[in-house]
Amino acid sequence: MKKINYVLILCIIILFFIGLSFVYDKVSEEVEKEIIKESTFEEKAIPKIVDIIITNNYYVALCEDGTVWSWNINQKTENVQKVCLLKDIIKIMEVGTEEVTIYALSKDGFIYAWGSNKGLFITTEEDSDKIFYEPVKLKGLSDIIEIDANNGKAFALDRNGTFYVWGVSLYWNDVEDLKPGFPQEKKNLVEGVKVLVAGAGEYNYFIREDKSIFSIMEASLLDSRHIYPYIFPKFEKKGYETNKNFTNSIFLLENAISLSQGSKLGLTVLHELGICDNIEKIGADGYTIFIYREDNTLWYWNSDRIIYHDNIAALANPETALINYSGSFEKIDFENVLGNERSNSTLKIVDICAGLENVLFLTSDGQVFMSEYKTSEIRDIEYYNTTNTNINRTEVTSVISDMHLKELIFRKLDFQEIISINTDGNFCFSLVNEKGEYFCLNLIK
């Protein structure tokens, strides 16, 4: 009897360990499945990222296979979603002002848009409070080969060389401003355009086939100061030197052509900069233009618009009320900014990405440096007060106390192996490195 009990106990112990082993194997199997599932998602759900927009906690990524993916920072990784069935996308950009609106250009020449319709940048046929969760094609545009958009305005070219603009104040009915096109009687001014650069501020630049360069600039008619804070960079015929004879105090339309078709919101003008046959890259923030040339030199236009950065009222001369629109191109020693030895360097600038206050410059070896406006002096500034437009006005000047006068400076950023840079057009920049890793640089002060 005791022998039987021992055998029974031994069998129970053996069964116990067999059962324990079975449970362990099942647990291990489930853990392994979970790891495989996570690994599969990381490797297959989203391809390698080559460009990204990060704004308002919303991420839009362009991948190397031409697909576009989006997610919110508050979402879990598993909620990363492919944007509809978009494929063969070659460029993404954020065009909104108050809210996020995304444009994407496809290889077959269509522009897709989604996000907020605030400002009617997706369609004028729907309410401005509508949100488009899926991309739609912009109407009236096809065979597009180039587009650039920034802070509520956009420019595009089709295969026939037709130039389109929308979001710029031209017409009496401001809804017409949101329909892609250009005033028929002035189309000769924009013929032969090959390069489009939508500035982060009000200065936009275009290069024609003949290497001539022009800008389209906008100034608000609703600004109570009645100041037109344009800039008028100018090249000499060969485009290698500054035009130092450019008139100091000029009447506005002596140097610009009005494009206005009766707009009540802004005075939009076209300005010819001249010919410069060695320009590779152009960028423009809210205050100046940056030009990178084939001889590996980088320049910016230095003018009172930079000095009086903080208050455009100071632009008005206290004696004449005129604005000094003169300036000169200043060379930027970017090799020194990066800490490189010029004699041994073959470094090139491959991209210029402009926000309102800062501009990022990407080099051929993956380094990044940026511009910023810093106070150079603090003093009182007297200016002609232009706010009173009454015909019987008493001429007066006013004083801005302790005004911060600005200068443009440059500094290197701590990023390496970067392959692309992008921005929301304001203060948020995004960067992608060779591995497909992305970074956010928020410069809001």
Side-chain angles (χ1 to χ4, degrees):
M1 189 70 180
K2 289 183 178 180
K3 185 176 181 181
I4 295 175
N5 287 340
Y6 288 138
V7 172
L8 180 61
I9 292 171
L10 181 61
C11 290
I12 292 172
I13 293 172
I14 292 172
L15 289 173
F16 173 78
F17 280 106
I18 291 174
L20 185 62
S21 176
F22 175 77
V23 172
Y24 177 79
D25 288 342
K26 290 295 289 182
V27 172
S28 298
E29 183 180 348
E30 290 301 322
V31 171
E32 185 178 359
K33 283 183 179 178
E34 187 63 25
I35 293 173
I36 292 173
K37 180 181 177 182
E38 182 178 348
S39 176
T40 302
F41 175 83
E42 292 294 336
E43 293 176 1
K44 294 183 179 179
I46 180 166
K48 183 180 178 181
I49 295 173
V50 295
D51 195 12
I52 195 168
I53 298 169
I54 304 173
T55 179
N56 293 346
N57 295 330
Y58 182 61
Y59 292 62
V60 181
L62 174 62
C63 297
E64 62 182 354
D65 64 350
T67 59
V68 177
W69 299 72
S70 69
W71 64 95
N72 189 288
I73 195 172
N74 297 318
Q75 293 177 332
K76 293 182 179 179
T77 309
E78 289 82 353
N79 290 330
V80 174
Q81 295 181 353
K82 187 176 179 182
V83 179
C84 194
L85 295 177
L86 286 187
K87 61 180 182 178
D88 296 330
I89 299 300
I90 58 177
K91 186 175 185 179
I92 57 173
M93 66 211 78
E94 207 281 305
V95 69
T97 51
E98 300 175 29
E99 298 182 22
V100 179
T101 306
I102 304 296
Y103 281 179
L105 175 62
S106 65
K107 284 183 180 179
D108 56 2
F110 291 105
I111 300 171
Y112 295 89
W114 67 96
S116 170
N117 197 39
K118 187 77 172 179
L120 306 180
F121 297 125
I122 297 179
T123 176
T124 59
E125 298 174 0
E126 299 280 356
D127 293 336
S128 62
D129 59 355
K130 180 169 181 178
I131 303 296
F132 286 80
Y133 295 99
E134 299 291 346
V136 296
K137 288 181 183 178
L138 292 190
K139 291 185 177 180
L141 294 167
S142 60
D143 287 330
I144 299 300
I145 60 173
E146 185 59 82
I147 177 177
D148 203 16
N150 207 331
N151 283 334
K153 78 271 188 183
F155 307 90
L157 286 173
D158 67 17
R159 296 186 192 281
N160 297 320
T162 305
F163 179 89
Y164 300 91
V165 56
W166 63 101
V168 173
S169 296
L170 295 174
Y171 302 97
W172 176 256
N173 180 356
D174 54 350
V175 173
E176 292 297 313
D177 292 334
L178 279 303
K179 297 179 180 179
F182 198 79
Q184 184 65 36
E185 66 275 19
K186 295 182 178 179
K187 281 192 172 182
N188 64 305
L189 296 172
V190 293
E191 291 180 348
V193 173
K194 288 298 181 183
V195 177
L196 309 171
V197 179
E202 305 302 338
Y203 316 134
N204 314 286
Y205 293 89
F206 312 89
I207 304 178
R208 300 187 184 95
E209 291 177 330
D210 64 2
K211 307 299 182 182
S212 62
I213 302 172
F214 67 93
S215 65
I216 291 179
M217 299 181 287
E218 185 179 8
S220 174
L221 293 177
L222 303 180
D223 192 323
S224 62
R225 291 167 293 192
H226 310 290
I227 296 290
Y228 301 130
Y230 301 121
I231 60 173
F232 292 101
K234 193 73 173 179
F235 300 110
E236 288 189 348
K237 188 173 182 180
K238 292 183 179 180
Y240 293 98
E241 300 292 338
T242 302
N243 184 349
K244 298 187 181 299
N245 295 322
F246 199 53
T247 307
N248 281 345
S249 296
I250 62 175
F251 181 71
L252 175 63
L253 296 183
E254 288 181 0
N255 291 274
I257 302 169
S258 174
L259 298 178
S260 176
Q261 304 293 295
S263 172
K264 58 184 179 293
L265 298 177
L267 179 58
T268 300
V269 300
L270 183 148
H271 166 61
E272 296 285 352
L273 281 72
I275 293 177
C276 186
D277 60 6
N278 68 344
I279 290 183
E280 284 197 2
K281 302 288 180 184
I282 294 179
D285 60 13
Y287 308 89
T288 190
I289 176 179
F290 299 87
I291 290 177
Y292 177 65
R293 292 175 170 167
E294 292 175 357
D295 61 2
N296 201 29
T297 59
L298 181 65
W299 307 74
Y300 75 95
W301 180 254
N302 193 14
S303 70
D304 283 355
R305 186 68 184 94
I306 291 177
I307 297 172
Y308 301 126
H309 170 288
D310 290 0
N311 193 334
I312 62 172
L315 292 169
N317 185 285
E319 296 180 0
T320 65
L322 297 176
I323 297 176
N324 181 358
Y325 286 112
S326 67
S328 61
F329 277 110
E330 303 290 339
K331 190 175 180 180
I332 303 164
D333 186 1
F334 69 90
E335 296 275 5
N336 185 54
V337 173
L338 294 169
N340 296 335
E341 293 293 334
R342 181 178 300 276
S343 58
N344 298 323
S345 176
T346 58
L347 207 59
K348 303 288 184 181
I349 292 176
V350 296
D351 198 8
I352 299 176
C353 184
L356 276 175
E357 293 283 335
N358 306 93
V359 178
L360 264 56
F361 302 84
L362 175 62
T363 65
S364 53
D365 66 347
Q367 296 186 81
V368 180
F369 66 98
M370 83 171 191
S371 66
E372 57 187 332
Y373 295 94
K374 290 294 185 182
T375 299
S376 61
E377 183 182 359
I378 301 176
R379 61 183 172 88
D380 295 347
I381 297 295
E382 184 181 15
Y383 67 97
Y384 190 95
N385 193 327
T386 59
T387 58
N388 182 3
T389 58
N390 191 307
I391 193 171
N392 297 318
R393 61 167 288 158
T394 301
E395 296 183 1
V396 295
T397 60
S398 298
V399 173
I400 302 173
S401 299
D402 296 328
M403 184 172 178
H404 287 238
L405 307 185
K406 296 298 177 68
E407 63 179 349
L408 193 58
I409 66 170
F410 301 84
R411 63 184 174 94
K412 180 181 177 181
L413 299 179
D414 189 23
F415 294 101
Q416 299 294 328
E417 299 181 340
I418 299 300
I419 61 169
S420 70
I421 50 179
N422 211 323
T423 180
D424 65 353
N426 292 295
F427 303 97
C428 190
F429 294 85
S430 47
L431 309 91
V432 178
N433 67 15
E434 293 177 352
K435 298 177 182 178
E437 300 169 334
Y438 55 86
F439 309 90
C440 181
L441 179 63
N442 196 328
L443 297 172
I444 295 178
K445 295 180 179 179

